[in-house]
Amino acid sequence: MVTSDEQIERVRELVASIPAGRVATYGDIAAAAGLSTPRTVGWIMRTDSGDLPWHRVLGASGRPAAHLADRQLRLLADEGVPVEDGRVDLRTARHRFP
């Protein structure tokens, strides 16, 4: 599947719109962007997110990737996101896209 520049920009806009103290999952962003799979969001985040609040994007379990966990959870906790046992409480912290 080829990802268009428009899809990349839409994902970037959605990630940028997540307010401090809130999070979204890769699946939430994929659904809001009209993408067929959350993996596309992951690919975009890996290749083009240095200037975005990347730490506000998590997997569906509420856990960050292992290689990012300490840094990501620290950044989220600093913003007031509820973190317990290495997991974000998605029921209370999840951002809903319009």
Side-chain angles (χ1 to χ4, degrees):
M1 177 181 139
V2 175
T3 305
S4 71
D5 289 344
E6 291 80 19
Q7 290 170 319
I8 292 169
E9 284 310 308
R10 181 66 180 141
V11 166
R12 289 179 50 75
E13 289 168 7
L14 289 165
V15 173
S17 76
I18 303 167
R22 308 294 285 177
V23 298
T25 68
Y26 293 98
D28 295 338
I29 296 166
L35 299 173
S36 61
T37 176
R39 290 178 186 269
T40 303
V41 176
W43 174 81
I44 293 167
M45 294 297 294
R46 277 191 309 276
T47 60
D48 191 23
S49 67
D51 60 335
L52 296 173
W54 61 269
H55 60 284
R56 298 180 189 147
V57 181
L58 297 162
S61 69
R63 289 191 187 278
H67 69 286
L68 298 172
D70 290 340
R71 183 172 178 216
Q72 189 168 11
L73 292 174
R74 185 175 57 254
L75 290 168
L76 291 171
D78 288 349
E79 292 183 354
V81 172
V83 175
E84 186 173 325
D85 295 327
R87 179 179 297 200
V88 170
D89 181 355
L90 292 176
R91 288 184 311 257
T92 59
R94 187 178 234 151
H95 175 68
R96 302 288 179 189
F97 295 103

